[in-house]
């Protein structure tokens, strides 16, 4: 059974955040590289677009998190926590966050994208031209790079797709080159 089919069965074919039955699609929670049931949710178009930043946040739409934050599924808990963090300045989300409990492993996953940090605390990754890099972006290497611990050389011009950001150091990103996951210094990449 595919991840999407499992999510549809798990959620009774409704958005796992707001309960909508229309415009459903699978959302893979960053920074997960692989689509699995444990790192994905079924989301409606409205939730999906607001999560991705394609639409302005509608705080009233997210009052649904009062129910979905209690889901037994960790992926749903993580997304509920992240959305409440984004909206915490509204007042009511902070009350829900105070009630919410996530085990240590789930909390670590929830914090990986830095949603809980103020804008002044967030680490910003920039490529060699100063362009801001985001999780999932594609970059190209601007110089040949010797990969430490192996005999591999990542050649200039190699495209690295679906990058992950290091949330502790603004100069490091991760990505796959020749099916090998490597750490790359941001000054040697250019955003595609």
């Amino acid at each position: 059974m595919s991840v999407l089919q499992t999510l549809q069965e798990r959620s009774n074919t409704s958005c796992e955040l707001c309960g909508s039955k229309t415009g459903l699609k699978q959302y893979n929670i960053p920074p997960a590289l692989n689509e699995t049931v444990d790192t994905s949710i079924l989301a409606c178009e409205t939730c999906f677009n607001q999560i991705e930043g394609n639409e302005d946040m509608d705080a009233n739409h997210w009052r649904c998190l009062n129910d979905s934050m209690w889901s037994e599924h960790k992926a749903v808990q993580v997304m509920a926590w992240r959305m409440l963090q984004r909206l915490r300045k509204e007042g009511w989300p902070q009350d829900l966050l105070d009630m919410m409990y996530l085990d240590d492993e789930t909390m670590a996953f929830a914090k990986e994208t830095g949603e809980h940090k103020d804008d002044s605390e967030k680490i910003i990754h920039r490529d060699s031209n100063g362009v801001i890099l985001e999780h999932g972006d594609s970059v190209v290497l601007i110089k040949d790079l010797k990969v430490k611990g192996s005999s591999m050389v990542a050649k200039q011009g190699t495209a690295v797709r679906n990058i992950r950001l290091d949330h502790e150091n603004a100069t490091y990103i991760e990505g796959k080159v020749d099916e090998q996951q490597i750490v790359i210094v941001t000054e040697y990449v250019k955003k595609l």
Side-chain angles (χ1 to χ4, degrees):
M1 188 180 302
S2 73
V3 172
L4 179 60
Q5 291 170 325
T6 305
L7 292 174
Q8 289 170 334
E9 186 177 304
R10 175 176 91 181
S11 68
N12 197 22
T13 316
S14 59
C15 177
E16 293 185 276
L17 297 173
C18 75
S20 174
K21 296 264 187 197
T22 59
L24 301 174
K25 56 175 112 178
Q26 178 181 331
Y27 177 71
N28 193 38
I29 301 171
L33 290 176
N34 300 318
E35 296 178 356
T36 69
V37 174
D38 295 330
T39 61
S40 300
I41 61 169
L42 195 63
C44 69
E45 193 171 352
T46 302
C47 289
F48 185 90
N49 286 333
Q50 290 185 35
I51 289 168
E52 287 289 296
N54 301 333
E55 289 179 10
D56 292 336
M57 292 287 283
D58 176 9
N60 283 326
H61 172 78
W62 293 104
R63 290 191 180 268
C64 59
L65 296 175
N66 187 37
D67 295 325
S68 55
M69 69 184 232
W70 302 110
S71 171
E72 65 186 281
H73 305 290
K74 293 186 186 301
V76 179
Q77 294 171 7
V78 165
M79 281 313 304
W81 186 88
R82 288 183 183 178
M83 297 314 294
L84 288 169
Q85 286 293 337
R86 288 187 196 179
L87 294 163
R88 68 183 177 272
K89 291 179 180 155
E90 295 286 324
W92 61 267
Q94 188 59 55
D95 294 337
L96 296 179
L97 284 166
D98 291 342
M99 288 189 287
M100 195 172 186
Y101 170 78
L102 300 178
D103 63 45
D104 292 342
E105 182 182 326
T106 306
M107 182 60 82
F109 180 39
K111 287 183 174 181
E112 281 191 52
T113 57
E115 298 287 345
H116 62 293
K117 295 181 180 178
D118 291 327
D119 289 341
S120 62
E121 296 177 302
K122 289 185 180 178
I123 294 175
I124 298 174
H125 294 75
R126 296 182 185 272
D127 73 1
S128 59
N129 295 328
V131 177
I132 295 176
L133 299 172
E134 301 285 340
H135 171 81
D137 282 346
S138 294
V139 296
V140 64
L141 301 178
I142 61 170
K143 130 179 206 182
D144 288 354
L145 300 175
K146 170 98 173 80
V147 179
K148 289 185 181 177
S150 90
S151 60
M152 182 177 134
V153 174
K155 296 289 187 188
Q156 178 180 348
T158 301
V160 182
R161 305 199 186 291
N162 197 19
I163 62 168
R164 293 176 63 178
L165 306 178
D166 182 325
H167 293 287
E168 295 177 5
N169 190 326
T171 60
Y172 296 136
I173 59 172
E174 293 180 24
K176 283 190 177 181
V177 174
D178 295 334
E179 301 302 317
Q180 184 175 348
Q181 187 76 12
I182 63 170
V183 175
I184 306 166
V185 178
T186 55
E187 67 185 84
Y188 303 127
V189 300
K190 181 172 67 172
K191 185 173 178 178
L192 286 177

